[in-house]
Amino acid sequence: MSTSAAQLTLPRNGAQHRGGAIEIQSVSYCYPGADASALDGVTLRVDPGERLGILGPNGGGKSTLLKLMLGLLPMQGGKISILGMTPGQARRQGVVGYVPQRLEAELGFPLSARQVVELGATWRLPAWKRVSRECRDRVERMIGLVGAAGYADRPIGKLSGGQVQRVLIARALAANPRVLALDEPTVGIDAVGQQKFAELLGTVHREIGLTIVIVSHDLRAIVAGCDRVACLARKLHSHVSPQGLTPQILAELFSHDLAGLRGVIGDVHVHAHASGACSDCGPEDGPARESAELMKGTDGNA
Amino acid sequence: METLEWLRTPELRAVIMPGLVGGLAVVVTCAVLSVLVVLKRLAFVGQGVSHSAFGGIGIAAALGYLGQAAAESSEGGADLSWLVSSAIVLGFCVLSAVGMGLLSDRHGVREDTAIGVFLVASMALGGLLLSYSVRKGKLSGSSGYESILFGQILAVSWPEAYAAIAASVVVLLIVWALRRAMFFWAFDEVSSSAFGVPGRAMKLTMMVLLCIAIVTAMKIVGVVLATALLVLPGATALKVSDRLRPVVAVSTVVGIGGLVIGVVTAIEFGELPPGAAIVLALCVLFALAWVVSAALRRFATN
């Protein structure tokens, strides 16, 4: 992809902001009627152009934090600033591009992939205004950037999960955001698709230079495409580079959700299960372990 | 053909034309809305709102704006009671729609339950007030009920037809003006909120548009069958195409076709109620589209 960042982005409100792209200070949130808070005093800063992964177990407050950042939930305690704006202001100005888990959209809709991408770019246009050439070009560039040109005219409901995901990323980018937020982007996608997804995010980051926030419970999705990782399980456990994820941090983070966790972080192999026998563990591994097992310098099948 | 006789004879033509012209305006509006109703799964909402109209009709009757009382009060002057009664019914439908929304959004009641509650409450209120109006001599017997429940297209007057055209133009203009945001909201409600689309305003607007369409459709097919105009054309079109513009076009053609076939059938077979004939014609068109699309799919697979 030879298109430069200058060609792909347009100046907009918030572009001159000099602080962190996202600043989260002492944010707490409790859902009405819930016994415990979903978030407790979370403080976090994301620099402009940084790729942050928010990793945590199911129910750890990742999606709640994302919704607060997107202005979809009212603030209860603390403060969130997106390029110097409140989440509500940022949402109204279209500063954040959002990529949902793919099944949230009505895929039976009679729209082609291109029309779905156009929705992100054109919905603010007054009814009497035609879509400009510049806007159409941006839509086409984003479709090309995510590699969806081959199926841009096909109905959205007839695309595979991975293809839909690319289209939704293009839709978010077509809105010309400063921040891209992805919610569980690898759910339901196989290992090959996850690898392609990581490469795609790398391309998007390289070409456009956006600040990217990925929320996931999938270690591989986070590690493959992020500069820093925030470990969240109601509280912020750590905020480190992927290589800084120590076995202790992961064990603590996933202490309530260990089953199925498996992956490779740099040269650290992660292999965890809550209890019971595992076909990958030899008999000498002994009785069921209660915490994550992490082995340095071993391959994924150890 | 009996229908041609109706169209040739001036006296009979004067009876049929206002209903046909007003009906055309109504079915075109409903056909366009029905695409959104089907895709956004608002059929039961439409059912709830249309049945709520029965409560509004009861109030209009009790206040003397329906039936004999209205006719007597307007003797010697222009009869605008139909306009007042329509405004009362529209107001009641809008209040019911807002009530359903508030009950489900803010008070933890499931949406279908909230709709069910308002539906039966409005029907019961309408039944009570109409019965009261009959006993007080404001409304005559059960004939009034029948036209309210199943419509009476051949009793539409020119002023009513003009009002239907005006209401249809307003609804279609609003849909055109909001089309980009509305289709984004309908396609992906959660994501569109994150992009800045005002979801609540979209939902409220859609409810008000449905209420206007239902009140104008009441005279054509009645309270009970008004939902048919808001579901069947769109459902039929979505069986035929998976492209937005063809779907809207086919839906409109199906709506008009159902109206014409229904009215012609009612005239040709004598005393058939036109409202029921229109709805059955729409059902037949839907069944045909379903059979043909299934056959084509099977043919394509083989």
Side-chain angles (χ1 to χ4, degrees):
Chain A
M1 179 58 62
S2 60
T3 320
S4 70
Q7 280 177 292
L8 289 168
T9 57
L10 295 169
R12 60 181 310 137
N13 290 343
Q16 290 79 30
H17 175 69
R18 290 180 184 278
I22 302 169
E23 291 176 17
I24 299 170
Q25 290 169 8
S26 308
V27 168
S28 299
Y29 191 85
C30 184
Y31 286 98
D35 293 333
S37 61
L39 290 173
D40 187 4
V42 174
T43 296
L44 196 62
R45 177 189 160 106
V46 189
D47 290 326
E50 190 178 22
R51 291 173 296 175
L52 175 77
I54 300 178
L55 178 69
N58 290 325
K62 305 183 301 295
S63 293
T64 303
L65 184 60
L66 187 66
K67 284 178 184 168
L68 288 168
M69 283 162 51
L70 291 167
L72 297 177
L73 285 177
M75 294 292 293
Q76 287 178 350
K79 187 182 169 192
I80 294 181
S81 163
I82 314 281
L83 294 168
M85 289 175 266
T86 65
Q89 289 169 335
R91 182 166 65 95
R92 283 189 289 277
Q93 297 211 9
V95 167
V96 184
Y98 174 57
V99 181
Q101 285 187 39
R102 61 197 172 90
L103 289 179
E104 288 180 20
E106 295 285 339
L107 294 180
F109 231 80
L111 293 174
S112 67
R114 179 176 280 105
Q115 286 174 312
V116 170
V117 178
E118 278 177 357
L119 285 177
T122 63
W123 80 266
R124 289 173 192 273
L125 275 180
W128 55 90
K129 276 199 174 174
R130 293 178 72 90
V131 179
S132 67
R133 176 84 180 258
E134 184 190 54
C135 185
R136 284 189 194 282
D137 287 348
R138 192 166 72 239
V139 166
E140 291 308 318
R141 281 204 301 276
M142 295 311 158
I143 288 172
L145 182 68
V146 302
Y151 45 84
D153 289 321
R154 287 178 61 192
I156 187 76
K158 293 189 177 166
L159 303 184
S160 70
Q163 289 172 329
V164 169
Q165 190 196 53
R166 282 169 183 265
V167 171
L168 296 183
I169 291 173
R171 182 184 69 178
L173 296 175
N176 197 18
R178 306 293 304 158
V179 176
L180 183 64
L182 301 102
D183 189 7
E184 301 282 2
T186 54
V187 166
I189 294 179
D190 61 18
V192 177
Q194 289 182 6
Q195 181 62 35
K196 285 183 177 172
F197 165 76
E199 289 167 10
L200 168 62
L201 266 198
T203 307
V204 167
H205 186 252
R206 204 166 45 248
E207 298 287 339
I208 308 181
L210 286 173
T211 304
I212 297 177
V213 176
I214 304 175
V215 161
S216 181
H217 69 279
D218 185 342
L219 201 56
R220 283 166 298 193
I222 294 286
V223 169
C226 295
D227 305 317
R228 290 170 75 78
V229 181
C231 296
L232 187 68
R234 202 168 68 83
K235 293 181 177 181
L236 188 70
H237 285 250
S238 66
H239 185 193
V240 295
S241 70
Q243 286 68 32
L245 284 175
T246 63
Q248 288 72 27
I249 289 174
L250 288 168
E252 185 186 354
L253 181 66
F254 285 93
S255 59
H256 300 294
D257 187 26
L258 290 171
L261 175 65
R262 184 173 300 189
V264 178
I265 314 163
D267 60 348
V268 178
H269 168 65
V270 180
H271 177 192
H273 45 96
S275 61
C278 172
S279 60
D280 288 346
C281 301
E284 67 276 15
D285 288 334
R289 280 154 291 193
E290 296 296 331
S291 62
E293 176 175 328
L294 298 110
M295 294 166 284
K296 195 147 188 157
T298 56
D299 68 33
N301 295 319
Chain B
M1 253 178 104
E2 194 74 16
T3 311
L4 291 177
E5 193 61 33
W6 275 65
L7 291 174
R8 279 198 203 106
T9 314
E11 295 80 18
L12 292 175
R13 195 166 62 227
V15 171
I16 195 175
M17 284 312 284
L20 268 183
V21 172
L24 276 175
V26 170
V27 292
V28 169
T29 308
C30 288
V32 172
L33 286 179
S34 76
V35 175
L36 282 166
V37 168
V38 173
L39 288 169
K40 197 72 188 121
R41 298 172 196 181
L42 294 173
F44 191 48
V45 174
Q47 184 85 342
V49 174
S50 66
H51 283 63
S52 295
F54 199 65
I57 289 165
I59 293 173
L63 292 175
Y65 291 108
L66 211 68
Q68 285 136 272
E72 284 163 16
S73 66
S74 64
E75 261 177 34
D79 180 13
L80 292 177
S81 60
W82 62 271
L83 201 56
V84 180
S85 65
S86 296
I88 290 171
V89 176
L90 178 61
F92 191 81
C93 285
V94 171
L95 283 177
S96 298
V98 171
M100 289 172 205
L102 286 178
L103 196 60
S104 58
D105 281 353
R106 300 195 182 164
H107 298 283
V109 178
R110 285 170 59 109
E111 189 177 41
D112 55 347
T113 308
I115 294 167
V117 168
F118 272 86
L119 189 154
V120 292
S122 301
M123 290 292 282
L125 179 70
L128 276 177
L129 290 177
L130 284 171
S131 170
Y132 164 82
S133 304
V134 171
R135 269 194 288 137
K136 291 284 176 187
K138 294 180 176 183
L139 198 67
S140 66
S142 62
S143 61
Y145 275 87
E146 198 173 305
S147 71
I148 289 165
L149 291 174
F150 300 108
Q152 188 46 272
I153 193 170
L154 298 180
V156 173
S157 63
W158 274 117
E160 286 172 323
Y162 294 142
I165 292 168
S168 299
V169 168
V170 168
V171 170
L172 291 175
L173 272 177
I174 292 173
V175 172
W176 177 79
L178 298 177
R179 66 188 186 282
R180 292 181 177 125
M182 195 165 265
F183 273 100
F184 196 179
W185 166 77
F187 172 64
D188 194 348
E189 188 169 346
V190 175
S191 295
S192 66
S193 285
F195 277 76
V197 176
R200 279 206 174 146
M202 284 296 132
K203 192 169 183 180
L204 185 63
T205 306
M206 187 69 195
M207 288 296 165
V208 172
L209 295 180
L210 285 180
C211 291
I212 297 174
I214 283 165
V215 172
T216 51
M218 242 166 39
K219 191 81 181 182
I220 313 295
V221 289
V223 170
V224 175
L225 301 177
T227 324
L229 294 185
L230 285 166
V231 174
L232 287 165
T236 307
L238 285 163
K239 286 283 167 207
V240 174
S241 177
D242 53 13
R243 303 283 174 180
L244 187 57
R245 283 184 182 174
V247 162
V248 174
V250 171
S251 180
T252 307
V253 170
V254 167
I256 295 170
L259 175 82
V260 172
I261 295 168
V263 171
V264 169
T265 308
I267 292 173
E268 293 299 322
F269 289 90
E271 297 293 313
L272 285 183
I278 291 167
V279 172
L280 280 178
L282 288 171
C283 290
V284 170
L285 290 174
F286 172 73
L288 273 176
W290 187 50
V291 170
V292 170
S293 71
L296 286 176
R297 260 203 318 276
R298 196 162 181 173
F299 180 72
T301 313
N302 292 334

